[in-house]
Amino acid sequence: MKNHPAPSRFMSLEELRPLRRRPRRRSRELRALGLACLLLISYVQWRLYTETSSSRSPDITAHGLFIARLEEDLETCTKLHTKPTDPIGLGREKSARYVDGKPPTLIINATADVYLQHGLIKRLEERIPLDSLPKDTLVYDAKGRPLTTFLRHHPYVRAIDGFQPTDRQIQVIKSGGVTTSLVLPGSSNNIGGEAYVVKHAVGATDGRNETSMACGENSKHVHGKAGERGPTSRLGESWEFRRAFERAAALMRRQDEWCAAARLGLGNVETYLPVELEWEGLIAVLRGHVHVNTHCYTINDLEAFVDHSNEFRFPVRAFHHAHQAFLVPEAEAYIGSEYAGKILYEQGLTPIYVSDNPVINAQHLILEAAKAHRYGLPYHVALASVTTAPAERLGLGSRLGKVKPGFDADVVVWDSDPLSLGASPVQVWIDGVAQYENPVELEKPVKRCVISIPDGHLTAAFTAFGSGLGLNEIESEGVTDNGADGTIFSRGVDGLALNTTKLQVAGRYGVTRAISAPRFIGPGTHHGTSVEFLTGAVTQLDQGAVIHRDAAVHYTLDLSAKRVGSTPSMSAAISVLRDKLLDAVDAMGEQSSNRSERKSEGAFLRRVVIGDLALAITAHSADIIASLLTVKADVEAAIARLGRDSKLRLTIIGGAEAHLRRALTGAPLTEHTAVDVLLRAGVTTALGLEEDWVVRDLGVLASVAFNNGEGRLNETGAFDLVSRNVYELLGLPVPD
Ligand SMILES: *[C@@H]1O[C@H](CO)[C@@H](O)[C@H](O)[C@H]1NC(C)=O
Ligand SMILES: *[C@@H]1O[C@H](CO)[C@@H](O)[C@H](O)[C@H]1NC(C)=O
Ligand SMILES: *[C@@H]1O[C@H](CO)[C@@H](O)[C@H](O)[C@H]1NC(C)=O
Ligand SMILES: *[C@@H]1O[C@H](CO)[C@@H](O)[C@H](O)[C@H]1NC(C)=O
Ligand SMILES: *[C@@H]1O[C@H](CO)[C@@H](O)[C@H](O)[C@H]1NC(C)=O
């Protein structure tokens, strides 16, 4: 067991005083109350205006309308024509979320001293004199480690009506240093709905409303059905957008005409103010009351969207994803580039890295910025892409995104340079309140980073295990995909499609081999036999293209197993698998007398029970993994009763809880990650990929495991996670 460094702890001012001699008096505080006064003045004027405009009234106009209701409508006109301004930062005395009674905090030994009070960053000075601070100030020693603020902009599956304050995800994401999120509804609707900004701490949300729109594959796939509903093509999507905006614009014009007439006298209008709930959101877009966020990937979508915004004259606050935006200054997300951030920046655009929880784990958002830096984005721009840039896009640029007096006290102290691979927070403050009582701190090795990427060369050959590489070109385009075989057992080799863009990308990132099985139901599920092949091959007839036609036998026992025909429950799925294996034991030694039989599920399971092929099960829950271990014991006992000696080679793919202690997310929440615990227990462990795009990151992931392994892994060990160990798990020969 390893001794961890004493965690950075809090102390009192009294404890700190003897450690700091003679403070220099050098307090330079700037206070700008002006802005607050200005706001107060405009508020008073607005009240005066609205109050004087409500004159005394007879009840009903000549057109038979209630005057009181018309007056309310007229007040609505005022609101319709007032543009909200971004919330102020400097000038606030207290954060609206400050909880009375929380003591102030002084962070020392960062680049400068930072003083947090009333939920705000109050002072940032080289050395803040202690006698200028209240007695109850908590002191935190950052021990010279880097300090930043950090927030994210990310699409998520639900907007505020679906917000779950108790969701553990929020804690996990925060443990990656993320303090604020823009949460958008899913990207399946062309016009997604209202998004919201949330801080990862208890307290009311405080932000501007955002509207989210989507283009491209997601919306035409999820909602499109020819002749029935939704767009089924990009032309259809454009038409839907334009029709919606046209209707909203027409209603907005009628509102404006109504307001103009009513202002001249309530007797002039023949109806109440026209409103339609359906178009409220889009009208707010056209009036500039909300910020528009879009999810677009491809050139045609991005350009079409810019066209709509010009036609209907509304600004777009941010394009999310925009994988191909880097091609615009000169098909869907599959032509991404690690260099996109650099290229966009060089074209004068501001890149912002988003997570796409759960697709890109928001806990690891900082890794996206770190990679961008490694792939050429200057340091300050990469850091800004997760701090100031998203804050400005949210309209919260004078409150969030900087460590500066007047800003919200959202601060992260990191265990290493935040843009080094695998950097983890050691403490996180949100609104001035420290979020962790006993955070886990990693001891980082002096020498960092296994893989040097800047010039684009990786040193090792990696094997991608568990993806759909070789079995599809574009995941979300069914026609390019091998499909999901559900209950029909098939062989990956029969569906191999080579020379795809994805495989070419894999090759560029050092992934020279892949082992892929057909899909069971959705992405990240497996069923049938996997094929091992060279990612650089053009067809499977090339010399040596296919290394193992049947590398392992796969089943999936995650929640999707319950959705397939004969196995409506997990217990049924386990029991069916046990029976199939026991049948194979019964048939052990039977020679297969016909060719087609030799490629059947039964024939492959016979090879499994004699230890000739690995049984690879995709499962995540600790309970299912425990059940599988009993199945393995039952089958081995049956083999022993036949007087034979063979062991089942059981491999778990996924295994987020394989250590049987539920998911380990790493520092600062948990002492170890799953990889750590498994390696220490002597379990052969490899890093696979759930989704194909991760293929570029295999090297980066090995580096993170190395950096955060506190010396438990050497370079060779880290590389083995994405090469040798895959073969050991499956009992296949390790390539040279
Ligand atoms: C600050 O950090 C330095 C080393 O970085 C350490 O020597 C010192 O004890 C720390 N604490 C204070 C209060 O200066
Ligand atoms: C956001 O929306 C809510 C309700 O839809 C509204 O009450 C609030 O004023 C809006 N805030 C801003 C800043 O537009
Ligand atoms: C492989 O793909 C490249 C384009 O990426 C293409 O030029 C080439 O003709 C393809 N080869 C074969 C045999 O299809
Ligand atoms: C070959 O094996 C399959 C599967 O067991 C069986 O259905 C089929 O009838 C057999 N064919 C012959 C010609 O024996
Ligand atoms: C790396 O670690 C492994 C086991 O932990 C050990 O067998 C191997 O010798 C080490 N390699 C180097 C180069 O230190």
Side-chain angles (χ1 to χ4, degrees):
M1 274 281 164
K2 189 153 213 342
N3 278 333
H4 275 270
S8 306
R9 57 181 190 97
F10 287 93
M11 58 185 130
S12 67
L13 270 191
E14 284 319 307
E15 286 171 279
L16 174 62
R17 218 175 287 277
L19 300 174
R20 270 201 177 172
R21 274 169 268 113
R22 243 173 219 292
R24 281 170 287 158
R25 271 191 190 284
R26 201 151 68 76
S27 150
R28 262 183 286 140
E29 275 180 74
L30 273 180
R31 299 230 161 153
L33 288 167
L35 211 45
C37 296
L38 204 67
L39 269 193
L40 188 64
I41 293 166
S42 22
Y43 176 72
V44 169
Q45 281 182 342
W46 178 73
R47 287 304 307 168
L48 281 175
Y49 174 70
T50 53
E51 271 155 27
T52 51
S53 67
S54 47
S55 49
R56 299 121 261 118
S57 49
D59 281 358
I60 284 186
T61 67
H63 294 292
L65 303 174
F66 287 108
I67 293 192
R69 190 169 154 199
L70 288 172
E71 280 169 351
E72 272 173 29
D73 281 0
L74 197 55
E75 220 173 277
T76 306
C77 286
T78 314
K79 285 185 199 148
L80 290 180
H81 296 115
T82 313
K83 266 205 183 170
T85 49
D86 287 350
I88 62 155
L90 201 68
R92 292 176 297 165
E93 273 300 314
K94 264 187 192 186
S95 156
R97 283 175 309 275
Y98 172 65
V99 180
D100 280 334
K102 289 275 178 200
T105 301
L106 175 68
I107 303 172
I108 57 163
N109 257 356
T111 322
D113 283 358
V114 184
Y115 178 62
L116 315 177
Q117 190 187 29
H118 298 143
L120 301 176
I121 296 169
K122 282 288 172 72
R123 297 166 69 174
L124 177 72
E125 291 160 37
E126 193 187 321
R127 212 159 220 252
I128 298 177
L130 302 183
D131 47 14
S132 65
L133 300 178
K135 281 214 166 51
D136 62 346
T137 302
L138 293 172
V139 179
Y140 178 89
D141 186 354
K143 298 189 177 152
R145 280 164 308 197
L147 176 148
T148 67
T149 184
F150 184 25
L151 58 132
R152 70 177 173 156
H153 214 199
H154 82 144
Y156 202 57
V157 286
R158 53 198 172 189
I160 196 149
D161 294 335
F163 182 58
Q164 252 284 25
T166 54
D167 192 342
R168 180 174 141 83
Q169 274 290 310
I170 295 172
Q171 297 309 320
V172 172
I173 292 166
K174 181 167 74 185
S175 78
V178 179
T179 57
T180 303
S181 293
L182 167 67
V183 182
L184 305 179
S187 57
S188 314
N189 298 316
N190 274 142
I191 296 172
E194 218 171 76
Y196 64 100
V197 177
V198 63
K199 287 228 186 173
H200 289 234
V202 221
T205 60
D206 179 8
R208 275 184 78 140
N209 300 332
E210 310 266 325
T211 277
S212 139
M213 304 194 181
C215 7
E217 301 304 332
N218 290 355
S219 32
K220 80 187 164 78
H221 273 273
V222 183
H223 290 292
K225 186 152 185 240
E228 288 182 25
R229 60 188 146 81
T232 55
S233 70
R234 289 196 158 82
L235 299 182
E237 288 182 333
S238 270
W239 187 78
E240 291 262 333
F241 268 121
R242 296 181 59 236
R243 185 175 61 162
F245 273 112
E246 184 185 66
R247 292 194 180 165
L251 179 60
M252 181 176 82
R253 272 195 304 277
R254 282 196 285 131
Q255 288 182 338
D256 291 349
E257 284 157 15
W258 187 95
C259 291
R263 274 203 194 100
L264 295 173
L266 294 180
N268 291 336
V269 293
E270 296 178 20
T271 61
Y272 295 112
L273 175 68
V275 285
E276 278 177 55
L277 202 54
E278 190 183 349
W279 302 115
E280 205 173 71
L282 279 194
I283 293 181
V285 168
L286 294 172
R287 292 193 189 282
H289 286 185
V290 296
H291 295 161
V292 176
N293 289 269
T294 68
H295 308 235
C296 287
Y297 300 84
T298 63
I299 299 176
N300 43 359
D301 286 337
L302 292 166
E303 288 190 343
F305 207 88
V306 170
D307 269 355
H308 303 324
S309 69
N310 287 334
E311 180 176 358
F312 295 97
R313 294 163 193 271
F314 64 89
V316 177
R317 196 71 174 195
F319 285 101
H320 292 260
H321 299 292
H323 300 182
Q324 285 187 7
F326 76 100
L327 295 172
V328 175
E330 61 213 84
E332 196 88 349
Y334 77 116
I335 314 188
S337 166
E338 262 62 30
Y339 297 96
K342 172 179 190 281
I343 296 167
L344 286 171
Y345 171 69
E346 285 167 359
Q347 298 295 329
L349 296 173
T350 309
I352 293 175
Y353 285 87
V354 303
S355 58
D356 195 353
N357 213 46
V359 181
I360 293 182
N361 183 345
Q363 182 196 353
H364 300 143
L365 179 56
I366 193 74
L367 185 59
E368 298 304 308
K371 282 191 287 174
H373 175 50
R374 260 155 214 288
Y375 289 107
L377 192 63
Y379 189 93
H380 68 283
V381 185
L383 201 55
S385 75
V386 289
T387 54
T388 47
E392 273 158 22
R393 289 294 90 190
L394 287 176
L396 293 168
S398 47
R399 280 194 175 181
L400 303 177
K402 289 181 187 164
V403 178
K404 205 177 150 182
F407 279 63
D408 284 12
D410 298 341
V411 175
V412 182
V413 171
W414 299 91
D415 63 2
S416 50
D417 182 327
L419 296 188
S420 64
L421 298 179
S424 309
V426 296
Q427 185 56 275
V428 176
W429 285 263
I430 296 180
D431 298 323
V433 179
Q435 302 291 307
Y436 298 112
E437 236 168 77
N438 289 305
V440 171
E441 277 182 51
L442 294 178
E443 192 185 318
K444 295 270 163 137
V446 184
K447 192 166 160 249
R448 293 223 172 86
C449 188
V450 178
I451 292 144
S452 113
I453 299 163
D455 43 6
H457 296 293
L458 297 166
T459 48
F462 303 147
T463 298
F465 178 48
S467 71
L469 284 178
L471 292 172
N472 71 48
E473 163 108 52
I474 308 172
E475 234 151 306
S476 53
E477 284 291 5
V479 289
T480 74
D481 185 50
N482 178 51
D485 68 6
T487 52
I488 299 183
F489 190 95
S490 69
R491 304 166 75 204
V493 69
D494 291 334
L496 261 192
L498 301 178
N499 200 34
T500 62
T501 309
K502 259 194 229 177
L503 290 174
Q504 287 156 4
V505 167
R508 282 213 304 278
Y509 287 82
V511 179
T512 56
R513 296 176 176 220
I515 300 176
S516 302
R519 228 195 274 175
F520 173 53
I521 293 191
T525 64
H526 311 97
H527 187 231
T529 66
S530 49
V531 53
E532 183 188 1
F533 63 96
L534 294 177
T535 57
V538 175
T539 75
Q540 62 164 299
L541 300 177
D542 289 6
Q543 182 83 35
V546 174
I547 302 144
H548 285 98
R549 303 182 76 76
D550 301 287
V553 175
H554 295 253
Y555 291 95
T556 294
L557 287 173
D558 66 2
L559 296 177
S560 66
K562 284 196 285 195
R563 279 190 265 136
V564 168
S566 59
T567 60
S569 63
M570 290 314 293
S571 54
I574 301 261
S575 132
V576 165
L577 178 66
R578 181 191 280 110
D579 283 350
K580 283 179 181 171
L581 287 164
L582 291 174
D583 285 349
V585 174
D586 289 345
M588 244 168 139
E590 263 176 35
Q591 287 301 316
S592 32
S593 53
N594 83 38
R595 287 188 77 79
S596 71
E597 217 258 345
R598 260 180 260 152
K599 305 297 177 211
S600 71
E601 182 173 10
F604 285 116
L605 286 176
R606 245 167 277 165
R607 290 179 58 191
V608 166
V609 296
I610 61 170
D612 182 32
L613 276 180
L615 179 64
I617 310 281
T618 303
H620 301 283
S621 133
D623 302 307
I624 298 297
I625 294 167
S627 297
L628 286 170
L629 292 174
T630 68
V631 170
K632 175 172 158 45
D634 293 348
V635 172
E636 283 170 357
I639 296 169
R641 279 197 296 277
L642 292 180
R644 317 235 337 208
D645 175 33
S646 81
K647 295 267 174 262
L648 221 54
R649 182 177 283 280
L650 176 65
T651 297
I652 304 295
I653 302 180
E657 293 183 352
H659 45 84
L660 299 182
R661 270 199 261 148
R662 310 299 170 194
L664 291 177
T665 56
L669 282 185
T670 65
E671 193 161 339
H672 302 290
T673 60
V675 170
D676 269 344
V677 172
L678 292 171
L679 286 173
R680 276 201 313 177
V683 178
T684 308
T685 302
L687 293 173
L689 44 164
E690 277 211 324
E691 292 199 35
D692 302 353
W693 59 266
V694 183
V695 69
R696 303 164 210 247
D697 285 352
L698 277 184
V700 169
L701 294 176
S703 290
V704 170
F706 173 73
N707 283 349
N708 290 353
E710 301 195 300
R712 283 183 291 271
L713 266 181
N714 56 26
E715 293 195 10
T716 320
F719 276 133
D720 285 350
L721 293 175
V722 289
S723 50
R724 166 180 285 274
N725 293 5
V726 174
Y727 295 90
E728 286 194 357
L729 275 174
L730 301 181
L732 298 174
V734 180
D736 309 321

